[in-house]
Amino acid sequence: MKTLFSLTTFMALLCLSSFNAAAQSNSLFSLQNLERERAALLTTLTDANISMEVRQQKSNSIYRRMADIERMVLRDERLANSDKVLVQNAFANYDLTFLVHASAERKIQPLSQWMNTLGINAASIAQSKQGYR
């Protein structure tokens, strides 16, 4: 019994240390998480198959996570010193990368911030046509 516990503890520690090493070795880890959360937010906000209540609940949860991840990315020294294209593009497009913070600064909803930054408005949507290009 004692051996089984020791083996289980050892395996758990091994798994945790390998996960920690992988996270530390990938300097883009926090930025990639932010990209995934932003994609999840935009998917939730534009999903026509869910009700407004569910959309609001899901998006509020994602807003909180995104705000935390955005703070982590902004404070990550590895990213500040990185020459990777993903990092340079992320900081060059602050209003899109740090969507929750940028929308809070302008006191508008994140979806409105996203659309304003991309130049999408009601008139451009009304003039658009559905189809492939």
Side-chain angles (χ1 to χ4, degrees):
M1 181 81 166
K2 187 175 182 181
T3 308
L4 180 62
F5 177 73
S6 299
L7 182 60
T8 306
T9 304
F10 174 73
M11 293 303 290
L13 290 174
L14 183 64
C15 289
L16 287 174
S17 65
S18 65
F19 175 74
N20 188 30
Q24 287 179 355
S25 67
N26 185 358
S27 63
L28 302 178
F29 186 72
S30 58
L31 185 57
Q32 290 168 338
N33 280 342
L34 179 59
E35 296 285 337
R36 279 190 286 278
E37 284 297 322
R38 187 179 65 208
L41 174 65
L42 294 172
T43 300
T44 300
L45 292 175
T46 57
D47 188 356
N49 297 322
I50 59 175
S51 68
M52 288 300 294
E53 295 82 25
V54 172
R55 180 177 291 118
Q56 187 68 33
Q57 289 173 347
K58 285 179 135 183
S59 61
N60 285 340
S61 174
I62 295 171
Y63 290 156
R64 287 190 297 275
R65 282 195 311 267
M66 278 185 68
D68 291 340
I69 296 171
E70 286 177 4
R71 280 189 221 106
M72 288 175 14
V73 169
L74 287 168
R75 293 177 184 154
D76 193 343
E77 291 296 324
R78 296 172 301 172
L79 294 176
N81 301 323
S82 178
D83 61 348
K84 306 268 186 194
V85 174
L86 179 65
V87 175
Q88 292 174 357
N89 287 340
F91 284 100
N93 297 307
Y94 174 88
D95 290 345
L96 294 175
T97 303
F98 303 100
L99 189 59
V100 173
H101 280 83
S103 66
E105 289 170 3
R106 288 173 181 76
K107 296 181 173 96
I108 59 175
Q109 291 294 315
L111 183 60
S112 298
Q113 172 66 31
W114 178 264
M115 292 174 63
N116 289 343
T117 303
L118 294 177
I120 301 171
N121 56 31
S124 65
I125 292 172
Q127 292 175 353
S128 65
K129 295 179 183 172
Q130 186 176 4
Y132 295 102
R133 292 184 185 201

